[in-house]
């Protein structure tokens, strides 16, 4: 049986009133170990599994004509699925790569759909997950448009210091929309 304690804790913390069918749903997840530098999600594909990061570091990015741009990092136990692609069967525009060895719990779409039909907890989970994603995207967009890179970096220091410890600086620079050299200057000014 896979180690599902972090997944169970995640549901208890984030969805405490949503208990019907949770034990059965959690038990249906399978544990997978993924090596470093493996692509987990590739643009142009459809998300076919519900994935929960148990352990490790992932970067999420877009690929433009001339460069990759990091849009998010995952370092804490949480769902890493592109929910829009997973639920609607649409192709994703996102890419995800493991930056370390990962421990991921996965649940296939067909199994999830069957559990969703059986238990009402799945519907409220999906609604709550979409609401959190929208809130996160709105805040991210607002910050990137209204705040200079130095202030964004200071926010990372305060709110996501784990990123600064686990993620290479050139990936952080891409996330902030600056060159690695500019990030180096920002770090010198702040320290």
């Amino acid at each position: 049986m896979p180690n599902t304690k972090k997944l169970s804790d995640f549901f208890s913390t984030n969805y405490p009133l949503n208990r019907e069918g949770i034990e059965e749903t959690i038990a249906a997840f399978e544990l997978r170990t993924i090596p470093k530098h493996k692509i987990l999600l590739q643009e142009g594909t459809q998300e076919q599994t519900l994935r929960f990061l148990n352990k490790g570091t992932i970067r999420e990015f877009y690929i433009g004509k001339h460069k990759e741009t990091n849009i998010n990092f995952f370092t804490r136990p949480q769902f890493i699925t592109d929910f829009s692609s997973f639920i609607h069967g649409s192709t994703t525009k996102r890419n995800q790569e493991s930056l370390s060895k990962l421990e991921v719990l996965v649940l296939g779409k067909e199994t999830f759909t069957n559990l969703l039909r059986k238990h009402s907890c799945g519907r409220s989970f999906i609604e709550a997950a979409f609401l959190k994603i929208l809130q996160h995207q709105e805040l991210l967009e607002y910050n990137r448009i209204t705040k200079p890179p130095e202030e964004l970096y200071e926010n990372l220091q305060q709110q996501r210091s784990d990123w600064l410890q686990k993620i290479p600086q050139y990936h952080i620079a891409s996330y902030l929309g600056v060159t690695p050299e500019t990030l180096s200057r920002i770090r010198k000014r702040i320290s």
Side-chain angles (χ1 to χ4, degrees):
M1 171 135 173
N3 180 1
T4 57
K5 180 176 178 358
K6 291 178 183 176
L7 179 60
S8 182
D9 291 348
F10 179 86
F11 274 114
S12 294
T13 302
N14 293 287
Y15 308 100
L17 302 176
N18 191 359
R19 301 307 303 164
E20 179 204 343
I22 287 295
E23 289 79 18
E24 183 181 356
T25 301
I26 289 171
F29 278 83
E30 296 175 20
L31 181 65
R32 294 210 180 127
T33 303
I34 299 169
K36 186 176 183 177
H37 299 304
K38 177 85 172 162
I39 298 295
L40 289 99
L41 181 64
Q42 189 167 21
E43 69 177 299
T45 63
Q46 289 183 4
E47 184 78 81
Q48 295 297 316
T49 56
L50 191 59
R51 294 174 288 118
F52 183 85
L53 177 63
N54 227 19
K55 184 178 178 184
T57 304
I58 296 170
R59 78 177 178 115
E60 188 169 70
F61 59 101
Y62 293 130
I63 299 176
K65 282 188 176 185
H66 303 291
K67 68 176 183 172
E68 295 177 353
T69 302
N70 292 313
I71 56 170
N72 205 353
F73 299 100
F74 303 97
T75 57
R76 300 174 182 166
Q78 62 188 301
F79 282 96
I80 56 172
T81 301
D82 179 340
F83 281 100
S84 183
S85 175
F86 183 76
I87 298 302
H88 300 295
S90 58
T91 57
T92 185
K93 293 176 177 58
R94 300 168 186 268
N95 297 278
Q96 291 179 345
E97 177 189 22
S98 58
L99 294 180
S100 69
K101 181 178 175 184
L102 305 178
E103 190 176 282
V104 178
L105 294 166
V106 298
L107 182 66
K109 190 171 185 174
E110 184 177 340
T111 303
F112 178 75
T113 302
N114 291 336
L115 288 165
L116 194 63
R117 282 190 202 113
K118 187 175 179 181
H119 303 289
S120 65
C121 67
R123 281 183 208 38
S124 59
F125 164 71
I126 293 297
E127 290 168 4
F130 270 113
L131 182 59
K132 284 184 179 189
I133 290 167
L134 283 173
Q135 289 171 333
H136 173 76
Q137 289 302 110
E138 185 176 303
L139 180 62
L140 181 64
E141 182 180 291
Y142 174 80
N143 285 340
R144 285 196 166 168
I145 290 171
T146 63
K147 295 182 180 180
E150 190 165 311
E151 190 174 339
L152 293 173
Y153 185 80
E154 288 173 339
N155 286 346
L156 288 181
Q157 283 183 313
Q158 295 167 4
Q159 298 169 8
R160 299 310 306 249
S161 61
D162 56 319
W163 286 14
L164 302 178
Q165 296 168 4
K166 297 177 180 180
I167 298 164
Q169 291 301 301
Y170 67 94
H171 283 313
I172 296 291
S174 169
Y175 176 80
L176 295 173
V178 298
T179 65
E181 295 78 20
T182 300
L183 177 58
S184 181
R185 287 191 293 274
I186 289 171
R187 292 176 66 206
K188 285 179 186 174
R189 280 195 302 267
I190 290 175
S191 32

